[in-house]
Each structure stands twice: as structure tokens, then as C-alpha cells.
Amino acid sequence: MLIEQASAAGWQVQKRPAQMTRRLDFSSYSETRVFLDQLAELSERTGYFPNLNFGKTHVNVSIAARGDSLDQEELDFASQVDALAGQPQGQS
Amino acid sequence: MLIEQASAAGWQVQKRPAQMTRRLDFSSYSETRVFLDQLAELSERTGYFPNLNFGKTHVNVSIAARGDSLDQEELDFASQVDALAGQPQGQS
């Protein structure tokens, strides 16, 4: 996924510090938990652990760039998050 | 648990807005996940869903007062969080 696609997919992309954040809403806590469990497995598979801020029916995912700007691996992780959330990848 | 005990147990207690926040650190992601899963079960049992902000080896738990100040139910939830985290309840 490219930076332009990230914005189209609903990510807020910031330059300083370089990071991308997305809020995902769910209709029930059990849906939120399913998403969080899947994201945990994705993190364990990829070794990438985004900062997550969540309540009963929302999750804010923040992917901070390890370097000066977001790299391809971080952008690809973001599109995998979109896939988990059932959003078409790279499209809003 | 009383407000004084909450501070002793490591909670930052705020008046406006009335909330209490605590950071818990873990030595591995799997430990973080065990805690989050237990906290999810506690939330489902009590119907209380604190705001959680976590990364690979830390969790920030924020309990916002539903009223003007923290009530006994919220303080009791906080001490159950302490118990899950293996901290002695109400003592630092």
C-alpha cells in the first residue's frame, strides 16, 4: 500500500513524528475482541506491535515509523489491519 | 479500595475530569496478552470497559468516572485490575 492509498483507506498519516493512525468502530464488544485477537496473532506473526488504544466498541491503531518516515513494511502492516477489519485494502 | 489506597497502589487519580490511570509493564508480549485476556473477561463479567492503551509490553488502564467523581464500583474495578496484575491490592 502506498501513502496515498493509506489516506484513502482511512488512515491519518502524519509526518513529524512519522506515524499513521486509524480508528475502527465495532457494533459490540465481542466484535472488538475478535479484531483484537486477530491483530494480536498478526503482531506475533510479523513481530510488529502497533500501539492500540481501545474501549468497548472502538480501536485506535497507531503505527509509528521506526525510521524517519513510514517504510513499506509498516504500510503493508496497515493494509493487513484493514483486511482484518473487513475493509477493502487500500480503498476507502 | 479508597482513593488514598488507589494512589498507594500506583494509580494516578485526577479530579477534572474524574479518572484514574495506571501503567502496567510486562516482561513479554505473551504476558501482556494474558493480562489483556483476563481484563477482557473481567469487563464482560462486570459490564465495565475501561479505556486501554497498550503496546508490546505495557498497558495503560484508564478508568473514567461516569459521574462527577469516581464511585465505589469504579474503585473496586481498579482493585480487581491490581489483583489481575499480581499487585497486592491497595498497597504499592
Side-chain angles (χ1 to χ4, degrees):
Chain A
M1 178 159 74
L2 302 174
I3 292 253
E4 297 69 29
Q5 289 174 315
S7 312
W11 293 86
Q12 281 83 42
V13 183
Q14 234 175 289
K15 286 244 161 63
R16 263 176 303 285
Q19 73 171 4
M20 54 199 296
T21 308
R22 182 157 187 209
R23 176 185 169 110
L24 295 153
D25 290 286
F26 300 92
S27 54
S28 68
Y29 180 63
S30 49
E31 258 191 46
T32 307
R33 257 196 100 180
V34 166
F35 173 73
L36 288 170
D37 287 344
Q38 290 171 334
L39 196 48
E41 276 149 32
L42 176 63
S43 285
E44 280 172 344
R45 259 198 332 271
T46 59
Y48 188 78
F49 299 89
N51 187 273
L52 296 175
N53 187 321
F54 72 95
K56 186 175 179 180
T57 53
H58 77 277
V59 177
N60 283 306
V61 183
S62 301
I63 295 174
R66 283 163 295 199
D68 296 340
S69 61
L70 289 157
D71 62 30
Q72 198 49 55
E73 205 189 319
E74 287 148 352
L75 288 163
D76 291 344
F77 186 89
S79 61
Q80 291 182 76
V81 170
D82 293 340
L84 288 181
Q87 308 278 344
Q89 284 178 326
Q91 293 88 32
S92 66
Chain B
M1 177 159 73
L2 302 172
I3 290 253
E4 297 70 30
Q5 289 174 317
S7 311
W11 293 87
Q12 283 82 40
V13 182
Q14 237 175 288
K15 286 248 163 61
R16 263 177 304 284
Q19 73 172 1
M20 56 198 294
T21 309
R22 182 160 187 207
R23 177 185 170 108
L24 295 153
D25 290 287
F26 300 92
S27 54
S28 69
Y29 181 63
S30 49
E31 258 192 45
T32 307
R33 258 195 100 180
V34 166
F35 173 73
L36 288 170
D37 288 343
Q38 291 172 334
L39 196 47
E41 277 147 32
L42 176 64
S43 286
E44 280 170 344
R45 259 199 330 272
T46 59
Y48 187 79
F49 299 90
N51 186 274
L52 297 176
N53 187 322
F54 72 95
K56 186 173 178 182
T57 53
H58 77 277
V59 177
N60 284 306
V61 183
S62 302
I63 296 174
R66 283 163 294 200
D68 295 339
S69 62
L70 290 157
D71 62 30
Q72 197 50 53
E73 204 189 321
E74 286 149 353
L75 287 164
D76 291 344
F77 186 88
S79 60
Q80 291 182 75
V81 171
D82 292 340
L84 287 182
Q87 308 276 346
Q89 284 179 323
Q91 292 88 33
S92 64

